[in-house]
Amino acid sequence: MSKNNALLCGLLVGGIIGGITTLLATPSSGKELRGQLQINRKKLEETLQQIKDESIALKDQIVITAKESTGVLQDVSADLKKTINQFQQEIEPHKKDLQKEFEEVELKLKQLEKALQ
């Protein structure tokens, strides 16, 4: 408990000393300082509002882009499936021809092996 009290007392004394130092070191009067603080506060509020508005616009744009990309991805996927199916249909006759040629080569190799024996 005494550590907490000492910490609290240290923070309080440090805050008071910091406040007094700030008041004594400030190059402008209280009215000027309050006016500058008011202007800076308004600028900060405007900046924060602008950031908020831009973040909302960005979020909306991300949602729109995600929806559009979902449709595009579905279209691309369907087109890709069609293309693969067409490719498979186009190579099917050639596939059979190649199988026949391989069988003929195997037959000729067997005949050649018999002839060499």
Side-chain angles (χ1 to χ4, degrees), residues 22-78:
T22 301
L23 289 175
L24 293 176
T26 303
S28 56
S29 70
K31 279 187 176 182
E32 291 174 5
L33 182 61
R34 283 191 296 272
Q36 289 174 352
L37 288 174
Q38 193 72 279
I39 291 169
N40 288 341
R41 182 182 62 84
K42 287 180 182 178
K43 285 181 182 178
L44 180 61
E45 286 175 353
E46 289 171 1
T47 303
L48 289 175
Q49 185 62 40
Q50 183 180 2
I51 290 171
K52 179 182 173 185
D53 294 343
E54 289 175 359
S55 65
I56 289 171
L58 178 62
K59 180 193 74 140
D60 293 343
Q61 185 61 42
I62 289 172
V63 168
I64 290 169
T65 303
K67 288 179 182 178
E68 289 175 356
S69 65
T70 301
V72 170
L73 286 176
Q74 289 174 348
D75 292 344
V76 168
S77 176

Side-chain angles (χ1 to χ4, degrees), residues 98-113:
L98 285 174
Q99 285 176 341
K100 286 181 184 178
E101 288 182 24
F102 282 130
E103 289 173 2
E104 290 175 6
V105 168
E106 284 181 5
L107 182 62
K108 289 182 181 180
L109 281 174
K110 287 180 184 178
Q111 290 175 352
L112 185 61
E113 285 177 356

Side-chain angles (χ1 to χ4, degrees), residues 1-17:
M1 282 299 237
S2 64
K3 286 184 180 182
N4 290 337
N5 288 336
L7 178 63
L8 183 60
C9 183
L11 288 173
L12 183 62
V13 170
I16 292 171
I17 292 173

